[in-house]
Amino acid sequence: MSDPVYHWFLPTGGDDHAVGAGTHGGIIGAQDAAPLPRSATHRAPSLDYLTQIARAADQLGYAGVLTPTGVHCEDAWLTTAALIAATRRLKFLVAFRPGLIAPALAAQMAATFQRLSEGRLLLNVVIGSSAAEQRGYGDFFDHDARYERAGEFLDVVRTAWSGERFDHAGEHYTVEGGLLREPPAVRPTVYLGGSSPAAIRLAARHADVYLTWGEPVEQVAEKVAKVRAEAARPIRFGIRLHVITRPTAEQAWADAERLIAGLDDETIRQRQESLRGLDSVGQRRMLDLHGGDRDRLVVAPNLWAGIGLVRGGAGTALVGSHAEVAARIGEYRAAGIDEFILSGYPHLEEAYAFAEGVF
């Protein structure tokens, strides 16, 4: 078994000491008329602050940083391009949505990024979990149609990366005389996630690394087996988790409780209702772990779902002593996970806590 790969996270929507209504998102559904309120200690995603995090991740030994996509954050392509010169070996896992950009252009952008960064681009293909948010970008495809379109999108991108002139006539895209004059010397690794049958079919065809959110080990093992069987080819697996790791378990759990101490029941109820309205199967699986109940947040040994009371997407954290967190990572490794995409609040301080305590 090879050594695990650890990535960190760039909070391009801002950072906080605690989670609240506006954590990792503002408008996520049709009922959200305006961005949700920020905390009093909110850190804006300035270039200076994001540079601090990227340089820390680079120096601490993280392989890369995930940069999200959506209305709640800064554009991932522009942000990461601005950080190339500030880092040395750190890779950038750039999240983007295939329905919002032409595939031939995306292939060119990726090739340019690879050259400018000397091969430090990774691609996180995000299909979109909110139909309302997609419509705000001008995309009116439904859930399964977005996955079908993404498959054709990636077909075109991979063809363009060959460097040969090509034509493509498909259901969603038509290209005549396409040519990428300078294809990437090293093709970017493609990361894909999703829990629906459509997502698993797409990942089986196109993912170099299949991503899952932080479910209990048994559920992750089942998903790994399902994707591996569907793919019938070599594929790697990654997991997206928060971490709260301290010298002692008591310190870690106390800090976890402080993270959500300011949440009131009405805020939790509203956020759970809004998140339930998304068409993401993975999001529903996250919500089902705890059902919005403060008394059900420990969903597996050292796996805590408190962040998912209000945050969309990744809602679970590994909480415990450094030794306990390392042990849980070992269990995910045994279940087939190769890569860990981690984060914590605030992201600068927690990058150090995990690297120094668990690496």
Side-chain angles (χ1 to χ4, degrees):
M1 183 182 295
S2 60
D3 291 336
V5 175
Y6 295 109
H7 305 274
W8 198 244
F9 184 83
L10 276 180
T12 54
D15 206 355
D16 289 285
H17 284 268
V19 298
T23 296
H24 192 72
I27 304 169
I28 63 167
Q31 68 272 40
D32 297 323
L36 296 166
R38 303 295 194 184
S39 71
T41 57
H42 179 74
R43 296 177 185 173
S46 67
L47 183 58
D48 282 345
Y49 183 56
L50 296 176
T51 299
Q52 286 186 60
I53 296 174
R55 282 179 168 162
D58 201 16
Q59 294 162 6
L60 289 168
Y62 293 96
V65 283
L66 172 63
T67 309
T69 182
V71 298
H72 67 282
C73 59
E74 300 292 355
D75 178 75
W77 286 104
L78 294 174
T79 301
T80 52
L83 294 171
I84 291 173
T87 52
R88 291 178 297 176
R89 45 150 220 94
L90 190 72
K91 294 185 178 182
F92 296 97
L93 181 47
V94 178
F96 75 102
R97 304 187 186 193
L100 308 182
I101 185 173
L105 176 59
Q108 182 182 17
M109 292 167 63
T112 298
F113 199 113
Q114 280 292 68
R115 281 191 296 279
L116 296 181
S117 68
E118 298 182 332
R120 292 192 280 147
L121 175 66
L122 309 170
L123 290 177
N124 179 27
V125 179
V126 177
I127 311 305
S129 62
S130 168
E133 185 181 42
Q134 291 296 122
R135 290 194 295 271
Y137 280 116
D139 178 15
F140 288 81
F141 278 44
D142 64 23
H143 176 276
D144 284 5
R146 292 198 300 269
Y147 277 96
E148 292 173 4
R149 178 181 59 191
E152 185 179 339
F153 178 98
L154 289 168
D155 286 337
V156 175
V157 168
R158 292 187 185 279
T159 300
W161 282 344
S162 72
E164 303 293 331
R165 189 174 295 279
F166 70 99
D167 295 329
H168 176 88
E171 182 178 354
H172 305 293
Y173 301 104
T174 300
V175 180
E176 292 183 1
L179 177 64
L180 184 56
R181 294 184 181 277
E182 295 188 55
V186 177
R187 295 187 179 191
T189 302
V190 173
Y191 291 68
L192 272 163
S195 298
S196 68
I200 291 173
R201 285 194 300 270
L202 178 64
R205 280 182 57 202
H206 280 293
D208 299 308
V209 182
Y210 172 81
L211 292 177
T212 179
W213 283 326
E215 298 176 359
V217 172
E218 295 77 12
Q219 295 181 26
V220 169
E222 291 175 4
K223 195 180 292 185
V224 166
K226 183 182 296 185
V227 175
R228 186 172 279 144
E230 181 84 14
R233 62 181 175 84
I235 186 170
R236 291 172 60 81
F237 295 88
I239 193 168
R240 175 77 181 90
L241 284 160
H242 305 285
V243 284
I244 305 172
T245 180
R246 301 291 183 265
T248 69
E250 291 77 15
Q251 289 173 294
W253 286 108
D255 284 347
E257 290 302 321
R258 277 196 289 272
L259 203 60
I260 62 170
L263 293 178
D264 59 80
D265 291 343
E266 181 58 20
T267 296
I268 294 172
R269 186 197 66 76
Q270 290 178 359
R271 291 298 288 163
Q272 290 290 296
E273 181 180 344
S274 184
L275 292 168
R276 284 279 177 193
L278 303 181
D279 57 8
S280 166
V281 174
Q283 182 65 76
R284 289 198 293 275
R285 289 170 67 103
M286 280 276 99
L287 297 173
D288 289 344
L289 290 175
H290 54 80
D293 187 343
R294 286 179 182 267
D295 296 326
R296 293 173 49 196
L297 296 181
V298 180
V299 298
N302 299 103
L303 187 63
W304 179 72
I307 294 170
L309 290 174
V310 293
R311 186 197 193 277
T316 53
L318 290 178
V319 180
S321 69
H322 301 322
E324 288 173 335
V325 170
R328 300 293 85 76
I329 286 174
E331 292 170 359
Y332 281 114
R333 292 281 292 133
I337 296 298
D338 305 291
E339 303 192 19
F340 295 81
I341 302 175
L342 307 171
S343 57
Y345 296 94
H347 288 73
L348 181 60
E349 288 89 330
E350 292 297 338
Y352 279 92
F354 181 83
E356 295 174 347
V358 180
F359 267 5

mmCIF file with all atom_site columns, all heavy atoms in Angstrom, residues 33-48:
data_model
loop_
_atom_site.group_PDB
_atom_site.id
_atom_site.type_symbol
_atom_site.label_atom_id
_atom_site.label_alt_id
_atom_site.label_comp_id
_atom_site.label_asym_id
_atom_site.label_entity_id
_atom_site.label_seq_id
_atom_site.pdbx_PDB_ins_code
_atom_site.Cartn_x
_atom_site.Cartn_y
_atom_site.Cartn_z
_atom_site.occupancy
_atom_site.B_iso_or_equiv
_atom_site.pdbx_formal_charge
_atom_site.auth_seq_id
_atom_site.auth_comp_id
_atom_site.auth_asym_id
_atom_site.auth_atom_id
_atom_site.pdbx_PDB_model_num
ATOM 1   N N   . ALA A 1 33 ? -32.770 34.460 -0.614 1.00 0.00 ? 33 ALA A N   1
ATOM 2   C CA  . ALA A 1 33 ? -32.853 35.671 -1.430 1.00 0.00 ? 33 ALA A CA  1
ATOM 3   C C   . ALA A 1 33 ? -31.567 36.482 -1.398 1.00 0.00 ? 33 ALA A C   1
ATOM 4   O O   . ALA A 1 33 ? -31.312 37.279 -2.277 1.00 0.00 ? 33 ALA A O   1
ATOM 5   C CB  . ALA A 1 33 ? -34.021 36.536 -0.964 1.00 0.00 ? 33 ALA A CB  1
ATOM 6   N N   . ALA A 1 34 ? -30.737 36.302 -0.359 1.00 0.00 ? 34 ALA A N   1
ATOM 7   C CA  . ALA A 1 34 ? -29.538 37.105 -0.218 1.00 0.00 ? 34 ALA A CA  1
ATOM 8   C C   . ALA A 1 34 ? -28.489 36.287 0.525  1.00 0.00 ? 34 ALA A C   1
ATOM 9   O O   . ALA A 1 34 ? -28.814 35.330 1.212  1.00 0.00 ? 34 ALA A O   1
ATOM 10  C CB  . ALA A 1 34 ? -29.859 38.393 0.548  1.00 0.00 ? 34 ALA A CB  1
ATOM 11  N N   . PRO A 1 35 ? -27.225 36.661 0.382  1.00 0.00 ? 35 PRO A N   1
ATOM 12  C CA  . PRO A 1 35 ? -26.193 35.963 1.141  1.00 0.00 ? 35 PRO A CA  1
ATOM 13  C C   . PRO A 1 35 ? -26.496 35.977 2.637  1.00 0.00 ? 35 PRO A C   1
ATOM 14  O O   . PRO A 1 35 ? -26.991 36.969 3.178  1.00 0.00 ? 35 PRO A O   1
ATOM 15  C CB  . PRO A 1 35 ? -24.924 36.759 0.813  1.00 0.00 ? 35 PRO A CB  1
ATOM 16  C CG  . PRO A 1 35 ? -25.209 37.369 -0.525 1.00 0.00 ? 35 PRO A CG  1
ATOM 17  C CD  . PRO A 1 35 ? -26.678 37.686 -0.510 1.00 0.00 ? 35 PRO A CD  1
ATOM 18  N N   . LEU A 1 36 ? -26.187 34.885 3.301  1.00 0.00 ? 36 LEU A N   1
ATOM 19  C CA  . LEU A 1 36 ? -26.477 34.769 4.720  1.00 0.00 ? 36 LEU A CA  1
ATOM 20  C C   . LEU A 1 36 ? -25.415 35.492 5.543  1.00 0.00 ? 36 LEU A C   1
ATOM 21  O O   . LEU A 1 36 ? -24.301 35.723 5.080  1.00 0.00 ? 36 LEU A O   1
ATOM 22  C CB  . LEU A 1 36 ? -26.554 33.289 5.096  1.00 0.00 ? 36 LEU A CB  1
ATOM 23  C CG  . LEU A 1 36 ? -27.701 32.562 4.390  1.00 0.00 ? 36 LEU A CG  1
ATOM 24  C CD1 . LEU A 1 36 ? -27.551 31.060 4.507  1.00 0.00 ? 36 LEU A CD1 1
ATOM 25  C CD2 . LEU A 1 36 ? -29.042 32.995 4.956  1.00 0.00 ? 36 LEU A CD2 1
ATOM 26  N N   . PRO A 1 37 ? -25.744 35.868 6.785  1.00 0.00 ? 37 PRO A N   1
ATOM 27  C CA  . PRO A 1 37 ? -24.836 36.711 7.566  1.00 0.00 ? 37 PRO A CA  1
ATOM 28  C C   . PRO A 1 37 ? -23.516 36.024 7.900  1.00 0.00 ? 37 PRO A C   1
ATOM 29  O O   . PRO A 1 37 ? -23.452 34.819 8.122  1.00 0.00 ? 37 PRO A O   1
ATOM 30  C CB  . PRO A 1 37 ? -25.645 37.007 8.837  1.00 0.00 ? 37 PRO A CB  1
ATOM 31  C CG  . PRO A 1 37 ? -26.663 35.912 8.919  1.00 0.00 ? 37 PRO A CG  1
ATOM 32  C CD  . PRO A 1 37 ? -27.002 35.583 7.511  1.00 0.00 ? 37 PRO A CD  1
ATOM 33  N N   . ARG A 1 38 ? -22.452 36.822 7.954  1.00 0.00 ? 38 ARG A N   1
ATOM 34  C CA  . ARG A 1 38 ? -21.133 36.351 8.324  1.00 0.00 ? 38 ARG A CA  1
ATOM 35  C C   . ARG A 1 38 ? -20.923 36.525 9.823  1.00 0.00 ? 38 ARG A C   1
ATOM 36  O O   . ARG A 1 38 ? -21.600 37.324 10.479 1.00 0.00 ? 38 ARG A O   1
ATOM 37  C CB  . ARG A 1 38 ? -20.057 37.150 7.579  1.00 0.00 ? 38 ARG A CB  1
ATOM 38  C CG  . ARG A 1 38 ? -20.171 37.117 6.069  1.00 0.00 ? 38 ARG A CG  1
ATOM 39  C CD  . ARG A 1 38 ? -19.957 35.732 5.516  1.00 0.00 ? 38 ARG A CD  1
ATOM 40  N NE  . ARG A 1 38 ? -19.733 35.746 4.066  1.00 0.00 ? 38 ARG A NE  1
ATOM 41  C CZ  . ARG A 1 38 ? -19.597 34.666 3.328  1.00 0.00 ? 38 ARG A CZ  1
ATOM 42  N NH1 . ARG A 1 38 ? -19.664 33.484 3.884  1.00 0.00 ? 38 ARG A NH1 1
ATOM 43  N NH2 . ARG A 1 38 ? -19.400 34.749 2.032  1.00 0.00 ? 38 ARG A NH2 1
ATOM 44  N N   . SER A 1 39 ? -19.950 35.807 10.363 1.00 0.00 ? 39 SER A N   1
ATOM 45  C CA  . SER A 1 39 ? -19.646 35.943 11.784 1.00 0.00 ? 39 SER A CA  1
ATOM 46  C C   . SER A 1 39 ? -18.838 37.206 12.027 1.00 0.00 ? 39 SER A C   1
ATOM 47  O O   . SER A 1 39 ? -18.265 37.798 11.106 1.00 0.00 ? 39 SER A O   1
ATOM 48  C CB  . SER A 1 39 ? -18.850 34.724 12.265 1.00 0.00 ? 39 SER A CB  1
ATOM 49  O OG  . SER A 1 39 ? -17.538 34.765 11.735 1.00 0.00 ? 39 SER A OG  1
ATOM 50  N N   . ALA A 1 40 ? -18.767 37.613 13.288 1.00 0.00 ? 40 ALA A N   1
ATOM 51  C CA  . ALA A 1 40 ? -18.026 38.820 13.645 1.00 0.00 ? 40 ALA A CA  1
ATOM 52  C C   . ALA A 1 40 ? -16.533 38.657 13.400 1.00 0.00 ? 40 ALA A C   1
ATOM 53  O O   . ALA A 1 40 ? -15.813 39.652 13.227 1.00 0.00 ? 40 ALA A O   1
ATOM 54  C CB  . ALA A 1 40 ? -18.288 39.171 15.110 1.00 0.00 ? 40 ALA A CB  1
ATOM 55  N N   . THR A 1 41 ? -16.051 37.406 13.397 1.00 0.00 ? 41 THR A N   1
ATOM 56  C CA  . THR A 1 41 ? -14.619 37.157 13.206 1.00 0.00 ? 41 THR A CA  1
ATOM 57  C C   . THR A 1 41 ? -14.310 36.638 11.807 1.00 0.00 ? 41 THR A C   1
ATOM 58  O O   . THR A 1 41 ? -13.260 36.035 11.586 1.00 0.00 ? 41 THR A O   1
ATOM 59  C CB  . THR A 1 41 ? -14.113 36.140 14.253 1.00 0.00 ? 41 THR A CB  1
ATOM 60  O OG1 . THR A 1 41 ? -14.882 34.931 14.136 1.00 0.00 ? 41 THR A OG1 1
ATOM 61  C CG2 . THR A 1 41 ? -14.243 36.699 15.654 1.00 0.00 ? 41 THR A CG2 1
ATOM 62  N N   . HIS A 1 42 ? -15.227 36.862 10.875 1.00 0.00 ? 42 HIS A N   1
ATOM 63  C CA  . HIS A 1 42 ? -15.042 36.374 9.507  1.00 0.00 ? 42 HIS A CA  1
ATOM 64  C C   . HIS A 1 42 ? -13.780 36.957 8.884  1.00 0.00 ? 42 HIS A C   1
ATOM 65  O O   . HIS A 1 42 ? -13.498 38.152 9.010  1.00 0.00 ? 42 HIS A O   1
ATOM 66  C CB  . HIS A 1 42 ? -16.259 36.774 8.666  1.00 0.00 ? 42 HIS A CB  1
ATOM 67  C CG  . HIS A 1 42 ? -16.170 36.337 7.236  1.00 0.00 ? 42 HIS A CG  1
ATOM 68  N ND1 . HIS A 1 42 ? -16.334 35.032 6.841  1.00 0.00 ? 42 HIS A ND1 1
ATOM 69  C CD2 . HIS A 1 42 ? -15.934 37.054 6.096  1.00 0.00 ? 42 HIS A CD2 1
ATOM 70  C CE1 . HIS A 1 42 ? -16.212 34.948 5.527  1.00 0.00 ? 42 HIS A CE1 1
ATOM 71  N NE2 . HIS A 1 42 ? -15.964 36.152 5.059  1.00 0.00 ? 42 HIS A NE2 1
ATOM 72  N N   . ARG A 1 43 ? -13.012 36.092 8.217  1.00 0.00 ? 43 ARG A N   1
ATOM 73  C CA  . ARG A 1 43 ? -11.829 36.526 7.495  1.00 0.00 ? 43 ARG A CA  1
ATOM 74  C C   . ARG A 1 43 ? -12.145 36.544 6.006  1.00 0.00 ? 43 ARG A C   1
ATOM 75  O O   . ARG A 1 43 ? -12.490 35.510 5.428  1.00 0.00 ? 43 ARG A O   1
ATOM 76  C CB  . ARG A 1 43 ? -10.654 35.581 7.756  1.00 0.00 ? 43 ARG A CB  1
ATOM 77  C CG  . ARG A 1 43 ? -10.182 35.552 9.194  1.00 0.00 ? 43 ARG A CG  1
ATOM 78  C CD  . ARG A 1 43 ? -9.058  34.524 9.369  1.00 0.00 ? 43 ARG A CD  1
ATOM 79  N NE  . ARG A 1 43 ? -8.665  34.397 10.755 1.00 0.00 ? 43 ARG A NE  1
ATOM 80  C CZ  . ARG A 1 43 ? -7.800  33.487 11.206 1.00 0.00 ? 43 ARG A CZ  1
ATOM 81  N NH1 . ARG A 1 43 ? -7.264  32.606 10.362 1.00 0.00 ? 43 ARG A NH1 1
ATOM 82  N NH2 . ARG A 1 43 ? -7.491  33.439 12.487 1.00 0.00 ? 43 ARG A NH2 1
ATOM 83  N N   . ALA A 1 44 ? -12.018 37.689 5.397  1.00 0.00 ? 44 ALA A N   1
ATOM 84  C CA  . ALA A 1 44 ? -12.312 37.806 3.967  1.00 0.00 ? 44 ALA A CA  1
ATOM 85  C C   . ALA A 1 44 ? -11.263 37.042 3.163  1.00 0.00 ? 44 ALA A C   1
ATOM 86  O O   . ALA A 1 44 ? -10.100 36.943 3.567  1.00 0.00 ? 44 ALA A O   1
ATOM 87  C CB  . ALA A 1 44 ? -12.320 39.272 3.558  1.00 0.00 ? 44 ALA A CB  1
ATOM 88  N N   . PRO A 1 45 ? -11.669 36.503 2.005  1.00 0.00 ? 45 PRO A N   1
ATOM 89  C CA  . PRO A 1 45 ? -10.733 35.729 1.175  1.00 0.00 ? 45 PRO A CA  1
ATOM 90  C C   . PRO A 1 45 ? -9.847  36.632 0.325  1.00 0.00 ? 45 PRO A C   1
ATOM 91  O O   . PRO A 1 45 ? -9.834  36.548 -0.917 1.00 0.00 ? 45 PRO A O   1
ATOM 92  C CB  . PRO A 1 45 ? -11.669 34.873 0.323  1.00 0.00 ? 45 PRO A CB  1
ATOM 93  C CG  . PRO A 1 45 ? -12.883 35.733 0.150  1.00 0.00 ? 45 PRO A CG  1
ATOM 94  C CD  . PRO A 1 45 ? -13.045 36.468 1.464  1.00 0.00 ? 45 PRO A CD  1
ATOM 95  N N   . SER A 1 46 ? -9.095  37.486 0.981  1.00 0.00 ? 46 SER A N   1
ATOM 96  C CA  . SER A 1 46 ? -8.186  38.372 0.251  1.00 0.00 ? 46 SER A CA  1
ATOM 97  C C   . SER A 1 46 ? -7.038  37.567 -0.333 1.00 0.00 ? 46 SER A C   1
ATOM 98  O O   . SER A 1 46 ? -6.731  36.457 0.114  1.00 0.00 ? 46 SER A O   1
ATOM 99  C CB  . SER A 1 46 ? -7.636  39.443 1.194  1.00 0.00 ? 46 SER A CB  1
ATOM 100 O OG  . SER A 1 46 ? -6.786  38.846 2.170  1.00 0.00 ? 46 SER A OG  1
ATOM 101 N N   . LEU A 1 47 ? -6.376  38.118 -1.326 1.00 0.00 ? 47 LEU A N   1
ATOM 102 C CA  . LEU A 1 47 ? -5.235  37.431 -1.911 1.00 0.00 ? 47 LEU A CA  1
ATOM 103 C C   . LEU A 1 47 ? -4.134  37.245 -0.873 1.00 0.00 ? 47 LEU A C   1
ATOM 104 O O   . LEU A 1 47 ? -3.461  36.205 -0.850 1.00 0.00 ? 47 LEU A O   1
ATOM 105 C CB  . LEU A 1 47 ? -4.709  38.202 -3.123 1.00 0.00 ? 47 LEU A CB  1
ATOM 106 C CG  . LEU A 1 47 ? -3.551  37.545 -3.882 1.00 0.00 ? 47 LEU A CG  1
ATOM 107 C CD1 . LEU A 1 47 ? -3.927  36.150 -4.378 1.00 0.00 ? 47 LEU A CD1 1
ATOM 108 C CD2 . LEU A 1 47 ? -3.109  38.421 -5.043 1.00 0.00 ? 47 LEU A CD2 1
ATOM 109 N N   . ASP A 1 48 ? -3.951  38.216 0.003  1.00 0.00 ? 48 ASP A N   1
ATOM 110 C CA  . ASP A 1 48 ? -2.939  38.086 1.048  1.00 0.00 ? 48 ASP A CA  1
ATOM 111 C C   . ASP A 1 48 ? -3.228  36.896 1.957  1.00 0.00 ? 48 ASP A C   1
ATOM 112 O O   . ASP A 1 48 ? -2.328  36.110 2.283  1.00 0.00 ? 48 ASP A O   1
ATOM 113 C CB  . ASP A 1 48 ? -2.864  39.368 1.888  1.00 0.00 ? 48 ASP A CB  1
ATOM 114 C CG  . ASP A 1 48 ? -2.105  40.482 1.191  1.00 0.00 ? 48 ASP A CG  1
ATOM 115 O OD1 . ASP A 1 48 ? -1.404  40.184 0.202  1.00 0.00 ? 48 ASP A OD1 1
ATOM 116 O OD2 . ASP A 1 48 ? -2.208  41.636 1.630  1.00 0.00 ? 48 ASP A OD2 1
#
